Amino acid sequence: PTLEIPSPSNKLPHGMKRTVYFFNRFYRPDPCATAQILGSLCDRLERAAFQVKVVCGSAGYLEARVRRPQTEVVDGVPVIRLRSTAFGRQSPIGRLLDYASLHVSMAVFLLRQVKTADVVVVTTDPPLIGVTVALARLFKPFKVVSWCQDVFPEIAMAAVTAADHWEGRRPVGRLALGAVCRGLSGLRGWRDWSLRQAEAVVAISDPMAAALRHRGVGDARVRVIENWAVQSEAEASTVATLRRHWGLTGNLVLGHFGNLGRGHDFRTVLRAIEAWVDVPGVEWVFVGGGHGGEILRSRFEGSEAPVRFFPYLPLEILGSGLQVPDLHWLSLRPAMEAHLFPSKFYGILKAGKPVLLIGGLDSALGRLIQTEEIGFVVEEGDSDRLHALLRAVAADPGTLARMAERSRALYERAYSGERQQDQWATLLTKVTTGSG
């Protein structure tokens, strides 16, 4: 249901609107999930009588050195792109320099441009930008809402301590990784302090909210507003064109769209693909990028395995692309459940496709998938179970058809975005007017 949102201008003279600034590293037209989700939220808030502005970096998500105008209006939303270094994601040192320089640019903008009556909604990209915002707030007491799309540094610590980072390393390498973990752990106090300075902290899942409350952020301050799907509805002709262009002829196509990063398990799928000769008619499509995606590409591209790799799709045809696979898989390592949530899940539901989770059977997402009967859950590392499951699914496509119907119904019922965006509008109304 759509809520009736009171105008935040009702306590300001002459119908003025309070400005809400969103700080995030990327924004439209970059294809990353946070940029697109933020864009759709800004569309909604503009209609709810907020004055919305986006502050982001000037480097691109896929190509760091792609520069865009410093100021522009994107779909009716003013966007300010701040300068930073643009070394990209290939080098850890270069990435740190990109983060640091953007922190500096954002700090200067906060002190020079943001007024005390404004509201700043700060996401978690670049990492720890909330700390910079909280420090700037010491000099200019604007209001802050923290939007936790992930929990850093825990997400980095979980990635560093994953078993595949330690296998085969020499003692010196193990000592170095241990030092990195200790250094990251020391940042949590600063992160917790910054969250306690905010008027509200928004987590995107219940496990994430519970983890933040456990860190002492405050029960009343933390609330859950889940993400939502952003792609347009599919067009049958585009779906057919993509399937033909990608050369897919199998009777069971498995897809992974988006980032397959260090926080995701890809080795379970890798081992299942290696056994592809025993499962005739099964094909795999990877659309996007990430650390895990590059490893899979290096292993299978050019081989006889039925695996194909393609770049990110433009948003305008993403909905059609998500219709191509018969079954989508995603990963959420149990160690990562409290620190992130795969937003691609919502796009899969909107596409009306079944979900295969490589993760915990007892995780919140795993329980949802099983309770709603919209897919399957295979525990991390259980490639034999995955292999057997694919054989059974390939022999009974009717199971997927029934799950697909329930996936779309769940999207319509709970994740279309209207409810979540109205929750955001209500929250920001309360923050801007000081009513809660």
Side-chain angles (χ1 to χ4, degrees):
T2 301
L3 302 177
E4 184 175 345
I5 307 301
S7 169
S9 63
N10 58 0
K11 291 191 177 182
L12 296 176
H14 309 300
M16 292 174 58
K17 302 177 183 179
R18 280 207 176 100
T19 300
V20 178
Y21 286 96
F22 284 92
F23 279 66
N24 190 54
R25 186 155 60 112
F26 301 109
Y27 190 66
R28 292 173 172 173
D30 278 308
C32 66
T34 56
Q36 298 298 339
I37 290 169
L38 174 55
S40 65
L41 177 59
C42 289
D43 294 341
R44 170 68 180 86
L45 294 179
E46 280 287 319
R47 296 195 298 273
F50 288 89
Q51 176 63 47
V52 176
K53 296 182 180 180
V54 173
V55 181
C56 60
S58 58
Y61 177 70
L62 298 179
E63 298 181 46
R65 297 188 182 278
V66 172
R67 297 289 186 174
R68 297 191 172 92
Q70 286 187 277
T71 58
E72 62 177 333
V73 176
V74 180
D75 299 325
V77 176
V79 179
I80 302 99
R81 301 187 190 275
L82 304 178
R83 296 300 184 191
S84 67
T85 59
F87 293 102
R89 294 177 289 173
Q90 303 305 315
S91 164
I93 299 299
R95 183 181 294 195
L96 286 174
L97 290 173
D98 289 352
Y99 291 159
S101 58
L102 187 54
H103 270 256
V104 171
S105 293
M106 287 184 168
V108 171
F109 183 91
L110 286 162
L111 294 173
R112 288 183 174 179
Q113 302 295 330
V114 177
K115 299 178 176 61
T116 56
D118 297 336
V119 176
V120 171
V121 180
V122 56
T123 68
T124 42
D125 191 14
L128 298 179
I129 188 60
V131 175
T132 296
V133 171
L135 289 171
R137 195 184 187 213
L138 297 176
F139 301 93
K140 187 181 290 187
F142 47 79
K143 296 181 179 181
V144 177
V145 176
S146 290
W147 189 1
C148 295
Q149 291 287 343
D150 56 45
V151 181
F152 184 90
E154 284 85 345
I155 186 174
M157 294 166 62
V160 169
T161 56
D164 53 5
H165 273 277
W166 297 83
E167 292 175 357
R169 289 190 179 270
R170 296 179 179 179
V172 173
R174 291 174 176 268
L175 287 173
L177 285 175
V180 169
C181 286
R182 288 191 295 273
L184 289 170
S185 179
L187 298 173
R188 289 187 292 182
W190 283 98
R191 189 276 319 284
D192 295 343
W193 168 79
S194 70
L195 293 177
R196 287 194 292 269
Q197 310 312 304
E199 275 68 29
V201 176
V202 175
I204 61 172
S205 72
D206 289 322
M208 184 184 294
L212 294 175
R213 294 186 183 111
H214 181 72
R215 292 292 303 177
V217 174
D219 289 352
R221 184 175 287 109
V222 179
R223 66 207 64 202
V224 177
I225 303 179
E226 295 156 316
N227 285 339
W228 54 89
V230 296
Q231 80 269 17
S232 57
E233 296 289 355
E235 296 183 0
S237 60
T238 306
V239 176
T241 299
L242 285 171
R243 192 177 181 96
R244 188 167 55 251
H245 175 69
W246 289 347
L248 300 173
T249 58
N251 60 351
L252 176 61
V253 177
L254 289 97
H256 186 283
F257 282 60
N259 181 48
L260 185 59
R262 296 181 183 274
H264 306 103
D265 169 50
F266 59 89
R267 298 187 186 277
T268 305
V269 168
L270 185 152
R271 288 188 288 269
I273 295 175
E274 289 177 334
W276 69 275
V277 291
D278 296 327
V279 191
V282 174
E283 296 177 317
W284 303 77
V285 174
F286 293 86
V287 181
H291 172 73
E294 290 305 313
I295 291 178
L296 291 173
R297 181 190 295 271
S298 65
R299 170 65 182 83
F300 293 114
E301 195 168 49
S303 72
E304 295 182 358
V307 186
R308 293 170 176 81
F309 299 88
F310 301 98
Y312 286 89
L313 290 178
L315 183 62
E316 55 268 23
I317 63 170
L318 177 59
S320 298
L322 289 169
Q323 283 279 350
V324 171
D326 304 295
L327 175 63
H328 283 264
W329 74 273
L330 52 81
S331 165
L332 181 59
R333 285 178 158 173
M336 293 287 189
E337 184 185 11
H339 313 318
L340 58 80
F341 187 91
S343 294
K344 57 178 68 71
F345 172 70
Y346 305 113
I348 297 169
L349 295 185
K350 184 173 182 178
K353 293 294 180 175
V355 185
L356 168 61
L357 171 66
I358 309 298
L361 287 168
D362 197 42
S363 65
L365 180 55
R367 292 194 302 271
L368 176 64
I369 291 170
Q370 294 170 88
T371 300
E372 297 289 342
E373 299 182 274
I374 57 173
F376 313 94
V377 182
V378 174
E379 291 193 319
E380 181 180 345
D382 195 352
S383 296
D384 291 340
R385 158 71 177 148
L386 176 56
H387 191 201
L389 173 65
L390 295 183
R391 293 178 66 92
V393 169
D396 182 19
T399 298
L400 294 183
R402 292 186 291 272
M403 289 179 169
E405 292 178 359
R406 290 191 287 267
S407 289
R408 178 66 189 202
L410 178 59
Y411 161 77
E412 298 282 1
R413 187 170 74 246
Y415 299 114
S416 65
E418 291 183 358
R419 177 173 63 89
Q420 291 85 348
Q421 291 168 12
D422 283 344
Q423 287 176 326
W424 266 107
T426 301
L427 171 61
L428 291 175
T429 296
K430 292 179 178 179
V431 172
T432 55
T433 61
S435 60

